[in-house]
Amino acid sequence: MNQRAWVPYGAAQRETIERVVREQLELWMADRCSLENCDPYALSMHALLLSYAHRTLGDVAFRDGAYRDLVAAAANLEHGEIGPHLYGGSVGVAWVFEHLMRCGFTDAIDENTNDHVDAVLLEALEQDWQGQYDLIAGLVGIGVYALERLPAASGAELIAGVVGHLEKTARPQGEGVLWWTEPQDLPEKHRSGWPGGYSNTGLAHGSAGVVGFLAGAVLAGQCKEAAAALLGSAVVGLLGQRCAPNDRSVFAPFCDERGFGNPARTAWCYGDPGVSIALLRAGEALHRPDWIALAVEVARRAAARDEVVVGVADAGLCHGSMGLAHIFGRFGQATGDAYFNEPARRWLDVTLRIVATDGVGFHRAERNGEMGIAYRADTSFLSGANGTILALLAAVSASSSPDWDRKLLISVRGSHLVLG
């Protein structure tokens, strides 16, 4: 695969998107007092958003706001505990620092700021790993930070440590391997139905996330032999998670020795969009056109599902409409397959409809059983306004690639393979 330049897929909606984004960002910029009380992670993610807003819209005020939030996040991080969480923790703050230093924000961040984070993580990886393995709060998340840290020597050391622990914790599954979520690490609502734990297929918490990280390690030339061997086995294990034919998903969200759970949702976190882009990255890394073709086939099936089948209730990246728009936009540009242009634009239109709805806007949907859906204010990256706005900007930005999505493991270099 060869690098393709990012081409905005939502140019026809640029005027509407710029207006919506400016209105929301100006509200946040005016309410500085609420941000000043935020934790370092929230401040860093706000800085990430403002930096891309500056690059797309050109407003100096957004650049200045990003600098201010970075300085505040760095100051607050000095007094916090270093934990393994890429999402919501200090590793996530360090990822933003590293990412924005590449984008020219060197005046706001000391180049040695992340050295202490690296030292703490390396010490933890020298021990028997007792934490989780996933992207959100575990080994894969540390690996994603380490990829961003390259070419620093500590980045390579962290990648080697993560690959080593993933090798140790892998479970044989047929001719492949999977990773297991123990009962105590399951969400409360899953414990009664999965008393022995399960294998999670998703990108956020499961094996697809491992596949995406290992592909990144191979592409970066890091721990290449071990990462490539484990990646091959992980893809075989992941392909074994396909469920019986149905109209909702190709891949099951969970499985144990009894079989699969119900069909997965269509989303980044669980289901075919996230799994298919992990397979695309794996095919890119190990030069497997069969995996690339399967990834595109699965993504096409996901893209063909209508709004009723998908059941989207909000706009967020995690399992909302803008996450789907961005993934299908990535697929189209990575593969050159024009099929994905329509679903990317369709889900972008759904997003603009959702955020224009009174009482909904950029809020997060919460399902309350018989009470239906309630909407809660949410400014976060995964389920709230921050990530939605970043993806909206990407839909219309001709000035820069949305490289922030490396944190989601969905950034793909691109292919000249003729598909479909």
Side-chain angles (χ1 to χ4, degrees):
M1 289 190 178
N2 299 297
Q3 185 74 39
R4 288 179 183 269
W6 176 259
V7 179
Y9 61 86
Q13 298 280 24
R14 184 177 181 95
E15 183 177 345
T16 299
I17 289 171
E18 284 197 9
R19 174 181 54 78
V20 168
V21 168
R22 287 181 186 278
E23 287 175 356
Q24 187 63 47
L25 292 182
E26 286 167 5
L27 283 172
W28 285 350
M29 297 285 283
D31 189 20
R32 286 299 309 165
C33 59
S34 63
L35 287 171
E36 287 168 1
N37 295 323
C38 284
D39 61 77
Y41 180 77
L43 283 164
S44 69
M45 294 307 298
H46 195 250
L48 181 72
L49 170 57
L50 291 177
S51 72
Y52 275 89
H54 169 249
R55 292 163 69 177
T56 302
L57 305 177
D59 292 32
V60 175
F62 296 149
R63 182 198 63 194
D64 293 345
Y67 270 97
R68 187 167 53 241
D69 289 338
L70 282 173
V71 170
N76 291 350
L77 185 63
E78 291 179 1
H79 308 294
E81 180 180 352
I82 306 298
H85 294 60
L86 180 65
Y87 287 82
S90 52
V91 173
V93 181
W95 185 95
V96 172
F97 289 169
E98 201 64 35
H99 185 76
L100 290 186
M101 278 193 281
R102 295 184 181 192
C103 299
F105 284 81
T106 52
D107 293 343
I109 313 164
D110 186 287
E111 64 179 4
N112 299 316
T113 294
N114 286 339
D115 289 353
H116 178 54
V117 174
D118 293 354
V120 172
L121 293 176
L122 285 168
E123 183 178 357
L125 291 173
E126 289 174 358
Q127 316 300 319
D128 289 336
W129 185 255
Q130 301 298 320
Q132 299 182 47
Y133 72 88
D134 67 347
L135 171 65
I136 299 297
L139 288 167
V140 172
I142 295 173
V144 169
Y145 162 66
L147 288 170
E148 200 71 19
R149 193 78 165 102
L150 294 173
S154 56
E157 293 174 38
L158 287 167
I159 290 169
V162 169
V163 171
H165 281 293
L166 288 173
E167 286 179 317
K168 293 175 184 176
T169 54
R171 285 194 179 192
Q173 175 73 15
E175 296 183 359
V177 295
L178 294 171
W179 284 263
W180 202 257
T181 305
E182 298 296 340
Q184 66 271 17
D185 296 324
L186 296 180
E188 186 67 37
K189 62 183 179 181
H190 290 174
R191 291 180 183 176
S192 61
W194 305 88
Y198 54 46
S199 171
N200 188 314
T201 305
L203 196 58
H205 295 289
S207 294
V210 179
V211 167
F213 159 68
L214 291 171
V218 172
L219 289 166
Q222 297 296 316
C223 215
K224 197 166 183 178
E225 184 175 339
L230 189 57
L231 174 59
S233 296
V235 170
V236 172
L238 184 61
L239 294 180
Q241 306 297 332
R242 285 173 284 187
C243 48
N246 66 88
D247 65 351
R248 292 182 59 85
S249 70
V250 175
F251 285 87
F254 322 110
C255 75
D256 64 8
E257 64 279 356
R258 300 169 300 173
F260 302 122
N262 294 325
R265 70 199 320 167
T266 298
W268 167 81
C269 52
Y270 290 100
D272 297 341
V275 173
S276 59
I277 209 157
L279 288 173
L280 190 68
R281 286 170 60 92
E284 175 185 21
L286 295 187
H287 309 289
R288 290 289 301 264
D290 55 331
W291 292 352
I292 293 172
L294 177 60
V296 173
E297 177 190 341
V298 173
R300 276 178 164 236
R301 290 182 62 176
R305 296 178 195 129
D306 63 28
E307 196 175 344
V308 174
V309 171
V310 174
V312 158
D314 59 30
L317 291 178
C318 185
H319 45 264
S321 57
M322 202 59 216
L324 293 174
H326 190 71
I327 288 178
F328 295 139
R330 269 293 185 195
F331 250 100
Q333 297 192 42
T335 63
D337 187 349
Y339 176 87
F340 291 102
N341 295 338
E342 187 278 330
R345 292 168 185 153
R346 169 163 44 90
W347 285 109
L348 175 62
D349 289 343
V350 171
T351 299
L352 292 174
R353 188 189 74 223
I354 288 173
V355 300
T357 302
D358 289 342
V360 179
F362 289 99
H363 289 21
R364 178 183 76 253
E366 294 182 353
R367 299 184 187 275
N368 296 323
E370 295 181 359
M371 300 295 292
I373 296 175
Y375 287 92
R376 311 292 183 195
D378 190 338
T379 59
S380 72
F381 175 69
L382 274 184
S383 57
N386 183 298
T388 302
I389 294 173
L390 277 166
L392 284 171
L393 289 168
V396 298
S397 176
S399 58
S400 63
S401 172
D403 295 330
W404 52 265
D405 65 6
R406 290 198 291 262
K407 189 179 179 188
L408 295 166
L409 282 175
I410 61 175
S411 182
V412 184
R413 291 182 178 181
S415 170
H416 291 303
L417 193 65
V418 177
L419 298 164

